[in-house]
Amino acid sequence: MSSRTASLRSLSRATATTTATSPGIRLFSATARRAAPSAHRALVFREHGALNDALSAHTFRALSPPGPGRVNVRVRLAPVNPSDVNVVEGVYPNKPSPETLLPPDSGGTQDFSVAGGEPVQSVDGGEGTGEVYVPGNEGVAEVTAVGEGVSGLEVGDWVVFAKTQPGTWASARQVGARDVIRVDKDAGEVTAAMLSVNPPTALCLLREFVPLKEGDWIVQNGANSAVGQLVIQIAAQRGIRTLNFVRSREEQANNALVKHLGALGATHTFTYDALADRTLTAHIKQLTHTAPPRLLLNCVSGPQTTGLLRLLGQDAQLVSYGAMSKQPLALPAGAQIFRGLVARGFWMSAWYAAHARKEREALLEEVVRLKLEEPRHTVFTVQAGWSDEEAGRRVREALGVQGRSPGGEKVLLRVEDPVV
């Protein structure tokens, strides 16, 4: 947990020296924090498939100096979100742009053009040439070079990515300066790496659909997910009471989870299995009779979510932001006709696309001020000394099918530049 105040506009400056290699381009000097890398590495997929089957690691040529309006960054940490898993599987609406492979020792000029004309870097497949995709929709990176005409960014600054699907599962990227937002280093790597997706999602879910006030109740499933834990914390800060539902586990593990969510501010936590007992429904109705819940947050779908509808009051909203069960969501016509139930969807990428940069920055600033506790996590480092073959194998083993650790913690990736 990072309890230190972090402002997007209160910035710390790097002390590394810089040198001009050409007009308007500022780079790390050879005597700065580290020598310029001779190559970088990315986790990629060529074809859609299961995470532990489709991913591989590939080394690519060191980034060229950034052109006008662009910056080079070293990715410090990038999370594995459920949407990233869905991207690799091919079931997510957004996906990275295809990138052309260029090995470190290839001649000629680095080609930064891809379909659609959006400049990106190229990666080396190690197995010939062709197009690959680099997953990763968020992360924190450090600026290593600044192109001509870029203002407000300096070498050493930390940034998060403002563009959809920037491909953060890599050691380095070249991006447009407009596609990153500077953040204070006091936020810490883990908080900054997960700043732009889950916390804003939780905040928007609580404020954009039902006007909530202190003392109100909400219901959510997937309460132990990253977003679910953040919803609990934000709601608790505002005096909003939460009914949280999780899947059944072994008794000791279930008790530990209930205790953990309670420490975050959960009012009550139940299992889906317990909901099958009608006495629980009656108990919840009694708890909430003065302010029946009018908001149900859904990231699971399937029949278990349908069962939660009976806990809602009149004119409630069901807001879906995920479907981790990969099952359809059935809505009883009676709930819609007689109780005024409204079903909505929320997608953070669509929110970003519909709002100006200043609004996006303001949202992230608000998130930072909340000082939310980081979800349980583990960092997996793709080590510099590993070959691409070993790196790919270890990543596939570590992420499995769902992209989570064996203990269920969120995984964050640190991809080091390879030794070549």
Side-chain angles (χ1 to χ4, degrees), residues 112-135:
F112 289 111
S113 63
V114 295
E118 180 64 22
V120 298
Q121 68 201 46
S122 299
V123 298
D124 165 37
E127 301 173 358
T129 59
E131 289 183 342
V132 297
Y133 300 91
V134 183

Side-chain angles (χ1 to χ4, degrees), residues 274-275 277-286 307 310-311:
L275 190 62
D277 185 345
R278 291 283 178 167
T279 59
L280 176 59
T281 301
H283 174 62
I284 291 175
K285 292 282 189 180
Q286 180 62 32
R310 61 178 179 264
L311 305 179

